[in-house]
Amino acid sequence: MLHLASFNEDMRAAGFVPSTRVIAAELGEPPESAVRHLQLPAEEQAYRLQRLRLANGAPVSVDESWLPPAVLPGILDEDLTGSLYRVLSASGHPVRKVEQTVQASAASVETARLLDVAPGAPVLLFHRRSFTGPEEASRPIEYSISAYRADRYQISMTLAQ
């Protein structure tokens, strides 16, 4: 059964020690997909958080998250080397629902460098839209794109009728 869990929770459940290296934490111009999801006014910037996620010290994924500054004004001052979901929860905005797609892709030059693979190596690309608040008043809180090394990550699920 699929469940909502952070990278850290997933890695610990698989028997690994998770860690995170923050590559960038800044205000920037979000891609159109993040603007739409976060419902940002035209020309408004968003927080960009890029992190390298590791398991037992080995690179597993590169995550780029976009967050709304008006809702999360001090988030860049937080410790972002752990679970972002924990930080969001502590700030009063726990992630309650996620819509996610996964597709096969080829690692870009930058992603390949960070993941220690050859450019063009296969990666699993996750597009994630996260929401906070009760279901009847759910609002967007994060838009992220994550590239996972295909040789170090798998998705398992149970399907039932």
Side-chain angles (χ1 to χ4, degrees), residues 27-155:
L27 195 59
E29 185 177 333
E32 182 55 36
S33 50
V35 170
R36 278 193 314 274
H37 172 64
L38 296 174
Q39 301 170 359
L40 298 173
E43 309 299 320
E44 183 168 319
Q45 294 188 318
Y47 290 137
R48 174 180 171 260
L49 177 59
Q50 185 180 33
R51 303 183 303 164
L52 178 63
R53 312 306 297 273
L54 305 109
N56 292 349
V60 173
S61 76
V62 176
D63 301 348
E64 183 174 80
S65 295
W66 293 91
L67 305 152
V71 179
L72 302 164
I75 196 160
L76 296 185
D77 298 326
E78 300 292 332
D79 177 7
L80 300 171
T81 61
S83 169
L84 177 58
Y85 285 3
R86 190 175 316 255
V87 172
L88 291 172
S89 186
S91 70
H93 303 286
V95 172
R96 301 279 187 209
K97 179 178 92 170
V98 165
E99 296 171 353
Q100 180 170 268
T101 61
V102 183
Q103 67 188 69
S105 188
S108 68
V109 171
E110 179 188 4
T111 297
R113 180 182 59 77
L114 291 167
L115 292 178
D116 195 26
V117 296
V123 293
L124 297 172
L125 201 59
F126 289 71
H127 293 262
R128 179 178 274 205
R129 297 167 18 114
S130 302
F131 299 85
T132 189
E135 191 167 332
E136 65 278 359
S138 181
R139 64 180 188 269
I141 195 68
E142 177 203 23
Y143 177 80
S144 68
I145 301 170
S146 301
Y148 280 76
R149 280 184 58 150
D151 63 339
R152 291 195 178 151
Y153 193 80
Q154 67 181 15
I155 302 168

